[in-house]
Amino acid sequence: ASLVGMAPNQVSALEIQEAVPLGIKAMRESQWEQAQAIFAEVVGTYAGDRSKRLFGGRFGVIYYNKGFSELKIAGSLERLGGEENAAKAVEYYNLAKQSFADCYTVPSDSKGKNLYHKKSLLYKGQAQQALGEYQNALDSYKKFIAEREVRDKYSPGMFNINLAICHFKLEKPLVKEGIGFFETALKN
C-alpha cells in the first residue's frame, strides 16, 4: 500500500506493523513530510503506557524517526528563507527536540531494542542549537559523548564544529574553548 496522497487520519487506520515500514520507506525516499505524518500518527495512537506494554524499547525508534523527519523538514524550511518558513522551521525544531527527548526516555528492554536511545541526544542537541539554546545543546552533546555506544556513529569534525559554534554563541561566549573545538574539527 502507498500513502501518497493519503490524509494523516487515513494513516491511523493502518496497524503499526504496516505504518512503520511505510514511514521508513518515505524516509529512504526523502519524503520527510510524509514520514513525519506517519510517525506522528503512530505516536499519537500508541504513545504512553500502551507503547511500553506492547512494544517496549522498540517504540523509541519510532520517536527517533519522527524527530529525524522533523529535523529534516525544519532544515528545508530554514533554507527556503522568509519569515513564514523561519517560523515553521522553529515549530519543527521544537517538535524534533521533543521527539528526541521522548526517544531518550525509552531504553531497550526485553521487548525490544531502542537502537537510537543514546544517539537521540546528539540530534536533540542539534535541534537545540538550531533554536539558539546553546547551553542546552552543549549539555546534550556532552551527555551524548559520555553515554554513547560504539554503534552510535557520528562525524567528529561536524560534532566539534557544533561545539565551537555553541561556545561562541553562549550569552557569555567562551571563545578560547570554541577555538579549541574548531581546531579539533579541522584535524578531523
Side-chain angles (χ1 to χ4, degrees), residues 123-142:
Y123 288 108
K124 179 182 174 189
Q126 288 181 7
Q128 291 166 320
Q129 181 177 342
L131 290 166
E133 300 171 5
Y134 301 111
Q135 186 58 59
N136 292 338
L138 286 171
D139 294 343
S140 292
Y141 290 148
K142 289 174 185 174

Side-chain angles (χ1 to χ4, degrees), residues 8-46:
N9 62 350
Q10 292 172 300
V11 176
S12 65
L14 295 174
E15 291 294 321
I16 193 169
Q17 292 83 359
E18 296 173 48
V20 171
L22 291 172
I24 292 169
K25 181 178 185 279
M27 288 177 74
R28 286 190 182 126
E29 295 170 356
S30 298
Q31 299 296 319
W32 303 113
E33 294 87 358
Q34 184 179 352
Q36 191 275 343
I38 293 168
F39 293 122
E41 190 67 31
V42 170
V43 166
T45 302
Y46 292 95

Side-chain angles (χ1 to χ4, degrees), residues 29-100:
E29 295 170 356
S30 298
Q31 299 296 319
W32 303 113
E33 294 87 358
Q34 184 179 352
Q36 191 275 343
I38 293 168
F39 293 122
E41 190 67 31
V42 170
V43 166
T45 302
Y46 292 95
D49 291 337
R50 184 176 181 205
S51 68
K52 291 176 185 170
R53 189 171 78 281
L54 295 174
F55 308 107
R58 291 179 296 159
F59 204 78
V61 176
I62 294 168
Y63 283 124
Y64 176 87
N65 288 333
K66 179 178 175 286
F68 194 83
S69 298
E70 292 158 347
L71 205 57
K72 290 291 193 175
I73 294 167
S76 295
L77 287 165
E78 199 170 46
R79 284 188 296 280
L80 289 173
E83 256 181 67
E84 189 176 324
N85 288 328
K88 286 181 185 176
V90 167
E91 289 177 34
Y92 277 101
Y93 281 128
N94 276 308
L95 288 170
K97 179 176 73 169
Q98 186 59 54
S99 293
F100 292 125

Side-chain angles (χ1 to χ4, degrees), residues 154-166 168 176-188:
Y154 70 104
S155 167
M158 204 57 219
F159 181 79
N160 280 285
I161 286 173
N162 286 341
L163 288 173
I165 290 168
C166 288
F168 292 146
K176 184 177 179 183
E177 291 85 344
I179 290 171
F181 286 114
F182 184 68
E183 288 173 345
T184 301
L186 290 174
K187 295 174 188 171
N188 286 293

